[in-house]
Amino acid sequence: MRILGREDVAAALAGLDATVLDAVRTAYVLHGQGSSEVPFSGFLRPPGNSGSRVISLPAYLGGPEPVMGLKWISSFPANVERGLQRASSVQILNDLDTGYPTAVLEASQISASRTAASAALASRALHGDRPVSTLGLIGCGTINRRVLDFLALVHPELRTVTLQDAVAGRAETLAAQLSAERPALTFIAGDLDDALRADTVSVATTDSTYWLDLAAHPERPGHQVILHLSLRDLSTASVLNAYNVVDDIDHVLREQTSLHRAEQETGHRRFVDAEIATVLGRSEASGEASGAAPVTEKTVVFSPFGLGILDLAVAQAVLEAATRHGIGSEAEGFDPGRHHVTAAMAGGTA
């Protein structure tokens, strides 16, 4: 079995953003075509540890290079106060013929990359031919830092990024770091109103209190895309007043997401306008992103639950890159071995 640790995955991901973007797009389109199996995620919450959870995401992705496996990801918000990463993750890939595990990858970087790539794809498709020159990042953690990488890739016209975080000083610190890394862009540490004036706004926080009421911030662009990545920030009213795009309606209307609460309040799902696979499919058919942009006066909100097929697609791309460059190691003993049937066992039960 191939083993890729944290440094191995980082090395394999270097320079791979365009490949990751294509892998995520392909996964979404295949999902829309029915070439996937995505059971509901399982949630494990430690007793007495409010807000912490570990999620299992089993999945199968078809297409010309089918793959199946499991993502096991934890989210412990209190880690941030300890100077640790909030999330940790392991990705297992399984052989399609035997079911044996073939690879284990440290997957926190894979998870962040696929989330960011999906957000960038949505921003490009949902804006269509409208230029995106301003970006607001609400939450200055790992996810939004990767979101910037992919948004800069799909929106080369991007010029100004406004950062906001509930923790004092975090936006200023990240703005200084990013200014040194990307001198062509202007980075501003601002307040919530400043961030919400951008063409595209990415919301990635550890809050789960449905605190953000978009109506309380009226000075926003007429055509704005909100990337609601943390899923539990927007108020129910904000959801019901938006044009809502999701990755999978059955998955995202679960586990007390903002959209789930909207369904509970209204008793229906009619406020969900489209799934991203349909949007990207229209874009593919037209040959350009502008063919997919919705015609609406409402704020467009993309709420991705985070499908396990995206992790499979990116993990497969990472594994292929690692194999090409000789990254990682092989470990023995992760298969059950050969089956030897004895006479005594032959007539018994397993």
Side-chain angles (χ1 to χ4, degrees):
M1 183 169 65
R2 193 76 172 172
I3 306 291
L4 297 182
R6 179 185 65 248
E7 300 304 324
D8 298 325
V9 172
L13 273 172
L16 209 65
D17 285 358
T19 300
V20 168
L21 202 67
D22 288 341
V24 170
R25 170 186 278 276
T26 299
Y28 272 144
V29 172
L30 286 170
H31 182 63
Q33 295 169 350
S35 297
S36 64
E37 293 288 340
V38 189
F40 283 134
S41 305
F43 283 70
L44 176 64
R45 294 182 172 87
N49 200 341
S50 177
S52 297
R53 61 188 183 272
V54 189
I55 311 171
S56 63
L57 292 87
Y60 162 83
L61 180 64
E65 297 183 38
V67 58
M68 69 176 180
L70 172 75
K71 172 184 175 181
W72 181 243
I73 182 168
S74 72
S75 174
F76 279 53
N79 280 354
V80 177
E81 300 171 8
R82 306 184 185 111
L84 302 173
Q85 289 282 354
R86 173 187 59 84
S88 64
S89 183
V90 174
Q91 179 74 47
I92 302 172
L93 301 182
N94 294 81
D95 184 86
L96 285 164
D97 293 322
T98 66
Y100 292 177
T102 58
V104 172
L105 303 88
E106 193 285 321
S108 62
Q109 299 165 88
I110 291 171
S111 184
S113 296
R114 64 82 150 148
T115 299
S118 71
L121 286 170
S123 178
R124 183 173 64 182
L126 295 171
H127 275 292
D129 57 4
R130 299 181 183 90
V132 174
S133 60
T134 56
L135 167 65
L137 298 179
I138 298 175
C140 293
T142 300
I143 296 298
N144 264 345
R145 187 159 186 161
R146 282 299 274 154
V147 166
L148 172 63
D149 292 337
F150 283 93
L151 284 173
L153 186 62
V154 303
H155 294 304
E157 71 278 16
L158 185 63
R159 293 293 175 265
T160 305
V161 181
T162 301
L163 301 95
Q164 187 274 340
D165 196 281
V167 178
R170 286 192 78 190
E172 289 80 2
T173 298
L174 184 57
Q177 293 173 352
L178 293 174
S179 294
E181 294 173 10
R182 295 179 176 272
L185 298 179
T186 299
F187 293 92
I188 302 168
D191 61 20
L192 188 60
D193 279 320
D194 296 329
L196 285 170
R197 292 190 186 102
D199 299 320
T200 286
V201 179
S202 178
V203 186
T205 80
T206 57
D207 204 328
S208 297
T209 61
Y210 318 97
W211 59 279
L212 181 51
D213 183 2
L214 295 177
H217 306 273
E219 295 183 12
R220 294 181 292 111
H223 186 89
Q224 183 181 56
V225 174
I226 304 283
L227 306 171
H228 184 209
L229 304 184
S230 35
L231 289 175
R232 296 169 183 84
D233 289 289
L234 291 184
S235 66
T236 300
S238 296
V239 170
L240 295 177
N241 290 323
Y243 183 98
N244 291 289
V245 180
V246 303
D247 52 359
D248 186 293
I249 189 169
D250 291 325
H251 284 259
V252 81
L253 270 73
R254 298 178 65 234
E255 296 294 333
Q256 295 301 308
T257 65
S258 293
L259 281 82
H260 187 200
R261 286 168 64 93
E263 179 189 36
Q264 291 172 324
E265 182 175 309
T266 62
H268 64 77
R269 299 180 168 188
R270 293 191 295 275
F271 55 86
V272 178
D273 297 281
E275 291 186 341
I276 193 63
T278 302
V279 176
L280 293 173
R282 291 200 301 266
S283 177
E284 294 259 324
S286 69
E288 55 181 342
S290 60
V295 179
T296 178
E297 297 300 317
K298 297 179 178 180
T299 295
V300 180
V301 173
F302 176 55
S303 299
F305 192 78
L307 303 178
I309 54 170
L310 306 187
D311 300 278
L312 289 179
V314 176
Q316 189 174 49
V318 167
L319 186 60
E320 289 172 357
T323 301
R324 284 196 306 272
H325 299 294
I327 299 170
S329 58
E330 296 289 336
E332 300 293 333
F334 283 87
D335 63 84
R338 306 294 296 179
H339 181 53
H340 301 286
V341 180
T342 67
M345 294 173 59
T349 58

